[in-house]
Amino acid sequence: MRRAIYPGSFDPVTNGHLDVIERARKLFDEVIVAVAHNDQKQALFSLEDRLGFLRETLAGQANVQIAQFQGLLVDFAVAQKATAVIRGLRAVSDFEFEFQMALMNRKLEGSVEAIFLMPKEEYTYLSSRIVKEIARLGGETTKFVPSIVVRALQKKFAR
Ligand code: PNS
């Protein structure tokens, strides 16, 4: 059983995340999409909302589980018997942070391998942060996030 964790803030999930999940589930028997519960980082959506968006969007995908985690990612990966951590790499600008994180995780726990997947080129520019900014300024987010998220963003930023 090859199991991978795909961790992130998912605040909120975007079509870029979904593209990475789609690629990961072809490579692994099971993919656990793990939403980080991080008190240090101010999120727009609550943990429950972020989990709910993922649950609704990924419902019916047989080998995808949705979970939350707190504390070290590698501890969660070991507890879940996962052998890989998936991260999306969009552009060179992602690389420095991802490289640092992957090598630190390896120092902490050698049994978990970092695997980087590139989303479709059309998602290279896409990030949760930018989607939130567009929504806050009254822009259209339909092309970038699942419909449940479009509605939630509209509600959050209703004028
Ligand atoms: O979507 P994000 O915000 O880029 O995800 C970052 C995340 C949640 C994957 C990262 O912050 C993380 O792994 N947090 C858990 C705490 C941890 O293990 N820190 C040490 C990493 S070197």
Side-chain angles (χ1 to χ4, degrees), residues 54-152:
L54 284 161
R55 284 197 190 106
E56 161 137 347
T57 308
L58 296 165
Q61 298 213 353
N63 62 340
V64 179
Q65 306 288 329
I66 316 296
Q68 55 174 291
F69 77 102
Q70 223 168 347
L72 285 178
L73 171 62
V74 287
D75 290 346
F76 179 71
V78 169
Q80 297 295 318
K81 298 187 170 58
T83 51
V85 165
I86 307 278
R87 293 284 287 171
L89 261 194
R90 291 164 299 190
V92 180
S93 50
D94 282 340
F95 182 77
E96 198 170 327
F97 173 64
E98 294 300 333
F99 190 62
Q100 184 183 26
M101 206 162 65
L103 289 185
M104 182 52 82
N105 282 338
R106 182 185 281 171
K107 273 263 185 282
L108 294 171
E109 177 55 58
S111 69
V112 181
E113 206 59 61
I115 299 197
F116 297 98
L117 296 178
M118 282 176 292
K120 254 190 212 151
E121 308 84 84
E122 63 193 87
Y123 299 135
T124 307
Y125 57 88
L126 187 53
S127 73
S128 300
R129 185 184 62 76
I130 283 182
V131 167
K132 284 182 281 193
E133 182 163 326
I134 293 168
R136 185 169 56 81
L137 298 172
E140 182 62 63
T141 60
T142 329
K143 288 195 195 119
F144 312 130
V145 289
S147 54
I148 185 173
V149 175
V150 173
R151 291 195 298 274

Side-chain angles (χ1 to χ4, degrees), residues 2-38:
R2 284 181 309 178
R3 184 177 288 137
I5 308 280
Y6 178 38
S9 304
F10 301 105
D11 181 40
V13 60
T14 68
N15 292 345
H17 294 127
L18 297 176
D19 182 90
V20 170
I21 294 166
E22 199 47 43
R23 288 167 200 282
R25 58 189 288 261
K26 289 182 189 145
L27 298 172
F28 288 89
D29 299 311
E30 189 171 282
V31 176
I32 302 178
V33 181
V35 183
H37 181 51
N38 183 356

